[in-house]
Amino acid sequence: VVRGAPGAKVGSVAVCGEAQVEVSGVMVEGSATCGVSVEGDAALLMRNCEISNHNSSGASVTGNAQLTLVDSRVHCCGGTGVVVADDAVLQATDCSIHHNDNGHGVAVTSS
């Protein structure tokens, strides 16, 4: 479990393999690369977090991975808020997911 101090910021978060990670109170602020990536059989729970990204996706969930957002906000400018592909799962509760320019809030694709 990773808990951020008030105002904690990171450039990106990546969870892969079979990892099970919980992040709380963190702002992911990236540019030109995906802010949050969850791959393989990994699971990521983000509680009370913000993902703010420019010119790339806010989050990408692929494979059999799972991303759970609770009381969180995703905002992208020039990219898609959350991309869900393959057999991945996105669960969002009490969240805001939106974008400005050239993207979608949530894009679901299959291989």
Side-chain angles (χ1 to χ4, degrees), residues 6 24 29 35 41 72 77 82 85 90 99-100 108:
S24 176
E29 190 172 45
D41 294 315
S72 294
C77 182
V82 182
L90 168 66
H99 71 95
N100 295 336
V108 180

Side-chain angles (χ1 to χ4, degrees), residues 23 28 36 44-49 51 67-70 72:
V23 177
V28 180
V36 173
L44 173 61
L45 167 61
M46 298 187 80
R47 186 182 308 275
N48 193 28
C49 291
I51 301 169
L67 173 61
T68 303
L69 301 172
V70 179
S72 294

Side-chain angles (χ1 to χ4, degrees), residues 55-106:
N55 301 318
S56 186
S57 298
S60 172
V61 195
T62 60
N64 294 312
Q66 179 169 326
L67 173 61
T68 303
L69 301 172
V70 179
D71 295 325
S72 294
R73 179 178 180 266
V74 179
H75 173 75
C76 281
C77 182
T80 296
V82 182
V83 177
V84 183
D86 307 319
D87 294 318
V89 175
L90 168 66
Q91 291 184 319
T93 304
D94 296 327
C95 293
S96 160
I97 301 173
H98 65 282
H99 71 95
N100 295 336
D101 305 324
N102 305 322
H104 303 281
V106 176

Side-chain angles (χ1 to χ4, degrees), residues 7-13 26-36 46 49-54 57-58 73 75:
K9 289 184 184 180
V10 296
S12 65
V13 174
V26 172
M27 179 172 186
V28 180
E29 190 172 45
S31 179
T33 58
C34 186
V36 173
M46 298 187 80
C49 291
E50 183 170 348
I51 301 169
S52 179
N53 223 34
H54 299 276
S57 298
R73 179 178 180 266
H75 173 75

